[in-house]
Amino acid sequence: MTFQSAMTTSIHNSRLRLLNALRSNAKPVMTFLGLPLFRMAQIVAQTGVDGIIIDCEHGHISDDAMHSATAAIAALGVSPLVRIRMTHGDLIKRALDAGAHGIVVPQVNTAEEARAVVSDAKFPPQGRRGQGSAFPAIAHGIDIPTYMKTANETLITCLQIETKTGVDNIDEICAVPGVDMIFIGPNDLALSLLGYVPARGDEPEFVEAIERIVAAGRTHKKWISRLSNDGASCKEHLKVFDTVAMSYDIRAIKNWYTAELRAARS
Protein backbone atom coordinates (compact mmCIF):
# COMPACT_ATOMS: atom_id res chain seq x y z
CA MET A 1 0.00 0.00 0.00
CA THR A 2 1.26 3.47 -0.87
CA PHE A 3 -0.12 6.65 0.66
CA GLN A 4 0.82 10.17 1.66
CA SER A 5 2.84 10.44 4.88
CA ALA A 6 4.72 13.09 6.82
CA MET A 7 7.57 12.79 4.34
CA THR A 8 5.46 13.34 1.24
CA THR A 9 2.46 15.44 2.30
CA SER A 10 1.75 18.90 0.91
CA ILE A 11 -0.28 19.82 3.99
CA HIS A 12 1.20 22.67 6.02
CA ASN A 13 0.42 23.41 9.65
CA SER A 14 2.60 26.10 11.25
CA ARG A 15 2.23 24.43 14.66
CA LEU A 16 4.13 21.33 13.51
CA ARG A 17 7.55 22.82 14.12
CA LEU A 18 9.65 19.68 13.82
CA LEU A 19 7.91 18.43 10.70
CA ASN A 20 8.22 21.81 9.00
CA ALA A 21 11.91 22.03 9.85
CA LEU A 22 12.57 18.53 8.53
CA ARG A 23 10.74 19.22 5.28
CA SER A 24 12.78 22.39 4.73
CA ASN A 25 16.06 20.61 5.60
CA ALA A 26 16.64 23.08 8.44
CA LYS A 27 18.48 20.49 10.58
CA PRO A 28 16.23 20.73 13.67
CA VAL A 29 17.49 19.85 17.13
CA MET A 30 15.49 17.82 19.64
CA THR A 31 16.14 16.65 23.18
CA PHE A 32 14.79 14.08 25.62
CA LEU A 33 12.53 14.76 28.60
CA GLY A 34 12.70 12.17 31.36
CA LEU A 35 11.31 14.00 34.41
CA PRO A 36 7.53 13.95 34.97
CA LEU A 37 7.19 17.68 35.58
CA PHE A 38 4.85 20.06 33.77
CA ARG A 39 7.20 22.94 34.61
CA MET A 40 10.24 21.05 33.35
CA ALA A 41 8.47 20.51 30.05
CA GLN A 42 7.76 24.25 29.83
CA ILE A 43 11.33 25.20 30.71
CA VAL A 44 12.92 22.86 28.16
CA ALA A 45 10.44 24.00 25.49
CA GLN A 46 11.64 27.58 25.98
CA THR A 47 15.29 26.81 25.24
CA GLY A 48 15.01 26.95 21.44
CA VAL A 49 14.76 23.24 20.66
CA ASP A 50 12.46 22.22 17.81
CA GLY A 51 11.18 18.98 19.30
CA ILE A 52 11.12 17.25 22.67
CA ILE A 53 10.93 13.48 22.98
CA ILE A 54 8.92 12.61 26.09
CA ASP A 55 10.62 9.45 27.27
CA CYS A 56 8.07 6.90 28.44
CA GLU A 57 10.57 4.09 27.86
CA HIS A 58 13.43 4.98 30.21
CA GLY A 59 12.23 8.22 31.81
CA HIS A 60 10.15 8.66 34.95
CA ILE A 61 7.06 9.47 32.88
CA SER A 62 3.59 8.13 33.69
CA ASP A 63 0.56 8.33 31.41
CA ASP A 64 -0.67 11.43 33.26
CA ALA A 65 2.74 13.10 33.04
CA MET A 66 2.94 12.30 29.33
CA HIS A 67 -0.40 14.03 28.72
CA SER A 68 0.68 17.11 30.70
CA ALA A 69 4.08 17.36 29.03
CA THR A 70 2.59 16.97 25.56
CA ALA A 71 0.15 19.82 26.15
CA ALA A 72 2.78 22.08 27.73
CA ILE A 73 5.30 21.57 24.93
CA ALA A 74 2.80 22.00 22.10
CA ALA A 75 1.39 25.18 23.70
CA LEU A 76 4.83 26.78 23.45
CA GLY A 77 5.20 26.07 19.74
CA VAL A 78 7.54 23.11 20.04
CA SER A 79 6.80 19.62 18.75
CA PRO A 80 6.19 16.94 21.39
CA LEU A 81 7.07 13.40 20.40
CA VAL A 82 6.51 10.43 22.69
CA ARG A 83 8.94 7.55 22.99
CA ILE A 84 6.71 4.68 24.02
CA ARG A 85 7.84 1.63 26.00
CA MET A 86 7.47 -0.97 23.27
CA THR A 87 5.79 -1.75 19.95
CA HIS A 88 2.28 -1.99 21.36
CA GLY A 89 -0.83 -0.50 19.74
CA ASP A 90 -2.34 0.69 23.02
CA LEU A 91 0.74 2.75 23.85
CA ILE A 92 0.81 4.26 20.36
CA LYS A 93 -2.85 5.23 20.62
CA ARG A 94 -2.37 6.83 24.04
CA ALA A 95 0.57 8.90 22.85
CA LEU A 96 -1.14 10.15 19.72
CA ASP A 97 -4.43 10.77 21.52
CA ALA A 98 -2.54 12.97 23.99
CA GLY A 99 -1.58 15.19 21.07
CA ALA A 100 1.93 14.04 20.23
CA HIS A 101 3.25 15.30 16.90
CA GLY A 102 4.82 11.90 16.43
CA ILE A 103 5.99 8.73 18.10
CA VAL A 104 9.41 7.18 18.66
CA VAL A 105 9.23 3.40 18.92
CA PRO A 106 12.19 1.51 20.44
CA GLN A 107 13.65 -1.87 19.56
CA VAL A 108 12.17 -2.29 16.08
CA ASN A 109 13.89 -5.30 14.54
CA THR A 110 11.86 -6.43 11.53
CA ALA A 111 9.73 -5.10 8.70
CA GLU A 112 6.76 -6.93 10.20
CA GLU A 113 7.13 -4.94 13.41
CA ALA A 114 7.49 -1.74 11.42
CA ARG A 115 4.29 -2.42 9.48
CA ALA A 116 2.41 -3.07 12.74
CA VAL A 117 3.59 0.26 14.16
CA VAL A 118 2.47 2.13 11.06
CA SER A 119 -0.90 0.41 11.14
CA ASP A 120 -1.43 1.34 14.80
CA ALA A 121 -0.42 4.96 14.11
CA LYS A 122 -2.74 5.53 11.13
CA PHE A 123 -6.49 5.96 10.91
CA PRO A 124 -8.34 3.74 8.40
CA PRO A 125 -7.97 2.95 5.58
CA GLN A 126 -4.19 3.08 6.03
CA GLY A 127 -4.30 1.64 9.54
CA ARG A 128 -6.39 0.63 12.52
CA ARG A 129 -6.12 3.58 14.90
CA GLY A 130 -9.40 4.41 16.64
CA GLN A 131 -10.82 7.91 17.08
CA GLY A 132 -12.29 9.35 20.26
CA SER A 133 -9.97 11.95 21.77
CA ALA A 134 -10.38 15.71 21.52
CA PHE A 135 -6.87 16.40 22.81
CA PRO A 136 -4.72 15.90 19.69
CA ALA A 137 -6.57 18.57 17.75
CA ILE A 138 -5.73 21.06 20.52
CA ALA A 139 -2.03 20.21 20.36
CA HIS A 140 -2.10 20.67 16.58
CA GLY A 141 -4.00 23.96 16.76
CA ILE A 142 -6.87 22.73 14.58
CA ASP A 143 -10.38 21.37 14.98
CA ILE A 144 -11.21 17.67 15.26
CA PRO A 145 -12.51 17.17 11.67
CA THR A 146 -9.34 18.77 10.29
CA TYR A 147 -7.17 16.61 12.54
CA MET A 148 -8.96 13.51 11.32
CA LYS A 149 -8.32 14.49 7.70
CA THR A 150 -4.66 15.39 8.15
CA ALA A 151 -3.25 13.20 10.94
CA ASN A 152 -2.18 10.31 8.71
CA GLU A 153 -0.11 12.70 6.62
CA THR A 154 1.39 14.91 9.32
CA LEU A 155 2.29 12.69 12.27
CA ILE A 156 5.91 11.53 12.36
CA THR A 157 6.41 7.79 12.76
CA CYS A 158 9.96 7.23 13.97
CA LEU A 159 11.49 3.80 14.57
CA GLN A 160 14.58 3.14 16.68
CA ILE A 161 17.22 0.78 15.37
CA GLU A 162 19.39 -0.38 18.24
CA THR A 163 20.15 -4.07 17.76
CA LYS A 164 22.18 -6.24 15.39
CA THR A 165 18.91 -7.78 14.17
CA GLY A 166 17.54 -4.35 13.38
CA VAL A 167 20.66 -3.49 11.41
CA ASP A 168 20.50 -6.80 9.53
CA ASN A 169 16.91 -5.99 8.50
CA ILE A 170 17.34 -2.25 8.01
CA ASP A 171 16.69 -2.20 4.27
CA GLU A 172 13.38 -4.03 4.63
CA ILE A 173 12.38 -1.83 7.59
CA CYS A 174 13.11 1.37 5.69
CA ALA A 175 11.08 0.10 2.73
CA VAL A 176 7.87 0.03 4.80
CA PRO A 177 5.44 2.78 3.67
CA GLY A 178 4.51 5.15 6.46
CA VAL A 179 7.84 4.95 8.27
CA ASP A 180 9.09 8.54 8.27
CA MET A 181 12.22 8.51 10.40
CA ILE A 182 14.86 6.10 11.62
CA PHE A 183 16.49 6.90 14.97
CA ILE A 184 19.79 5.30 15.94
CA GLY A 185 20.10 4.39 19.61
CA PRO A 186 23.91 4.33 19.88
CA ASN A 187 24.15 2.93 23.40
CA ASP A 188 21.87 -0.08 22.93
CA LEU A 189 23.36 -0.59 19.48
CA ALA A 190 26.82 -0.72 21.03
CA LEU A 191 25.61 -3.23 23.64
CA SER A 192 24.15 -5.43 20.94
CA LEU A 193 27.13 -5.26 18.61
CA LEU A 194 30.07 -4.84 20.96
CA GLY A 195 28.89 -6.05 24.34
CA TYR A 196 29.79 -2.80 26.10
CA VAL A 197 28.72 0.83 26.33
CA PRO A 198 29.51 3.50 25.42
CA ALA A 199 31.16 2.74 22.12
CA ARG A 200 34.44 4.52 21.49
CA GLY A 201 32.97 5.42 18.14
CA ASP A 202 35.71 3.98 15.96
CA GLU A 203 34.95 0.27 16.26
CA PRO A 204 34.63 -1.05 12.68
CA GLU A 205 31.47 -3.07 13.41
CA PHE A 206 29.81 -0.08 15.08
CA VAL A 207 30.80 2.37 12.34
CA GLU A 208 29.67 -0.02 9.61
CA ALA A 209 26.29 -0.52 11.29
CA ILE A 210 25.63 3.22 11.45
CA GLU A 211 26.70 3.62 7.83
CA ARG A 212 24.31 0.82 6.81
CA ILE A 213 21.42 2.48 8.62
CA VAL A 214 22.13 5.87 7.05
CA ALA A 215 22.51 4.34 3.58
CA ALA A 216 19.22 2.45 3.84
CA GLY A 217 17.45 5.57 5.05
CA ARG A 218 18.77 7.58 2.15
CA THR A 219 17.87 4.85 -0.36
CA HIS A 220 14.26 4.76 0.86
CA LYS A 221 14.04 8.51 1.46
CA LYS A 222 13.57 8.38 5.22
CA TRP A 223 14.78 11.00 7.68
CA ILE A 224 17.67 9.78 9.83
CA SER A 225 18.32 10.82 13.42
CA ARG A 226 20.42 9.86 16.41
CA LEU A 227 21.31 10.80 19.97
CA SER A 228 24.07 13.37 20.48
CA ASN A 229 25.59 13.85 23.93
CA ASP A 230 26.44 17.54 23.68
CA GLY A 231 26.48 20.57 21.41
CA ALA A 232 29.83 19.80 19.82
CA SER A 233 28.85 16.25 18.82
CA CYS A 234 25.44 17.53 17.76
CA LYS A 235 27.09 19.94 15.31
CA GLU A 236 29.15 17.13 13.81
CA HIS A 237 26.24 14.70 13.61
CA LEU A 238 24.06 17.24 11.81
CA LYS A 239 26.51 17.10 8.90
CA VAL A 240 25.20 13.58 8.28
CA PHE A 241 21.82 13.32 10.00
CA ASP A 242 18.59 15.21 9.33
CA THR A 243 17.97 15.88 13.02
CA VAL A 244 19.48 14.87 16.33
CA ALA A 245 18.33 14.59 19.92
CA MET A 246 20.80 16.54 22.02
CA SER A 247 21.21 15.02 25.47
CA TYR A 248 18.54 14.65 28.16
CA ASP A 249 17.03 16.92 30.81
CA ILE A 250 18.28 14.66 33.62
CA ARG A 251 21.82 14.55 32.25
CA ALA A 252 21.84 18.30 31.61
CA ILE A 253 20.93 19.11 35.21
CA LYS A 254 23.49 16.70 36.62
CA ASN A 255 26.24 17.91 34.29
CA TRP A 256 25.57 21.57 35.15
CA TYR A 257 25.77 21.00 38.89
CA THR A 258 28.84 18.81 38.55
CA ALA A 259 30.69 21.40 36.45
CA GLU A 260 29.66 24.38 38.59
CA LEU A 261 30.51 22.65 41.86
CA ARG A 262 33.90 21.70 40.43
CA ALA A 263 34.47 25.37 39.57
CA ALA A 264 33.25 26.52 43.00
CA ARG A 265 35.55 24.14 44.84
CA SER A 266 38.61 24.59 42.66
Side-chain angles (χ1 to χ4, degrees), residues 60-112:
H60 182 47
I61 306 286
S62 67
D63 192 72
D64 285 350
M66 180 267 289
H67 265 264
S68 295
T70 298
I73 293 164
L76 289 169
V78 176
S79 287
L81 280 72
V82 175
R83 178 160 75 174
I84 62 176
R85 296 192 298 273
M86 59 185 294
T87 56
H88 194 287
D90 177 63
L91 301 175
I92 292 171
K93 178 170 61 176
R94 291 297 292 165
L96 296 179
D97 279 0
H101 292 186
I103 51 171
V104 180
V105 184
Q107 298 282 340
V108 175
N109 294 311
T110 67
E112 182 181 9

Side-chain angles (χ1 to χ4, degrees), residues 3 84 88-97 100 102-105 113-124 126-130 147 150-159 177-180:
F3 48 81
I84 62 176
H88 194 287
D90 177 63
L91 301 175
I92 292 171
K93 178 170 61 176
R94 291 297 292 165
L96 296 179
D97 279 0
I103 51 171
V104 180
V105 184
E113 291 175 353
R115 283 190 289 269
V117 168
V118 171
S119 182
D120 287 326
K122 304 289 185 185
F123 290 119
Q126 288 88 359
R128 56 194 175 200
R129 180 185 172 193
Y147 178 81
T150 60
N152 281 2
E153 296 185 35
T154 56
L155 293 170
I156 297 171
T157 300
C158 175
L159 309 181
V179 173
D180 302 302

Side-chain angles (χ1 to χ4, degrees), residues 248-262:
Y248 207 104
D249 61 336
I250 300 167
R251 186 179 298 125
I253 293 169
K254 181 180 178 182
N255 287 348
W256 186 90
Y257 273 101
T258 300
E260 295 306 312
L261 282 168
R262 185 181 299 117

Side-chain angles (χ1 to χ4, degrees), residues 74-251:
L76 289 169
V78 176
S79 287
L81 280 72
V82 175
R83 178 160 75 174
I84 62 176
R85 296 192 298 273
M86 59 185 294
T87 56
H88 194 287
D90 177 63
L91 301 175
I92 292 171
K93 178 170 61 176
R94 291 297 292 165
L96 296 179
D97 279 0
H101 292 186
I103 51 171
V104 180
V105 184
Q107 298 282 340
V108 175
N109 294 311
T110 67
E112 182 181 9
E113 291 175 353
R115 283 190 289 269
V117 168
V118 171
S119 182
D120 287 326
K122 304 289 185 185
F123 290 119
Q126 288 88 359
R128 56 194 175 200
R129 180 185 172 193
Q131 191 276 331
S133 175
F135 302 131
I138 298 172
H140 287 239
I142 52 181
D143 58 33
I144 294 173
T146 303
Y147 178 81
M148 292 298 300
K149 292 177 182 177
T150 60
N152 281 2
E153 296 185 35
T154 56
L155 293 170
I156 297 171
T157 300
C158 175
L159 309 181
Q160 281 193 218
I161 303 299
E162 44 194 343
T163 67
K164 183 180 185 301
T165 303
V167 175
D168 289 342
N169 294 320
I170 188 61
D171 193 69
E172 293 84 357
I173 291 170
C174 285
V176 173
V179 173
D180 302 302
M181 185 187 297
I182 299 296
F183 188 99
I184 296 173
N187 291 327
D188 280 336
L189 185 60
L191 277 174
S192 179
L193 294 174
L194 307 172
Y196 59 84
V197 67
R200 293 191 310 272
D202 61 355
E203 297 93 339
E205 188 176 4
F206 185 73
V207 172
E208 181 186 0
I210 291 178
E211 289 176 347
R212 282 186 63 185
I213 295 168
V214 172
R218 296 294 176 232
T219 296
H220 295 282
K221 303 186 186 308
K222 309 297 184 183
W223 291 309
I224 309 295
S225 182
R226 64 162 292 162
L227 174 69
S228 295
N229 287 331
D230 51 41
S233 59
C234 175
K235 184 176 181 179
E236 288 302 307
H237 291 152
L238 284 174
K239 295 176 182 178
V240 175
F241 296 86
D242 299 295
T243 179
V244 298
M246 186 177 67
S247 195
Y248 207 104
D249 61 336
I250 300 167
R251 186 179 298 125

Side-chain angles (χ1 to χ4, degrees), residues 29-83:
V29 176
M30 306 180 288
T31 192
F32 278 96
L33 183 78
L35 294 174
L37 303 172
F38 174 82
R39 296 303 183 191
M40 179 62 72
Q42 288 182 313
I43 290 166
V44 176
Q46 290 180 319
T47 62
V49 294
D50 300 292
I52 298 175
I53 303 171
I54 302 164
D55 190 6
C56 295
E57 182 190 16
H58 294 302
H60 182 47
I61 306 286
S62 67
D63 192 72
D64 285 350
M66 180 267 289
H67 265 264
S68 295
T70 298
I73 293 164
L76 289 169
V78 176
S79 287
L81 280 72
V82 175
R83 178 160 75 174

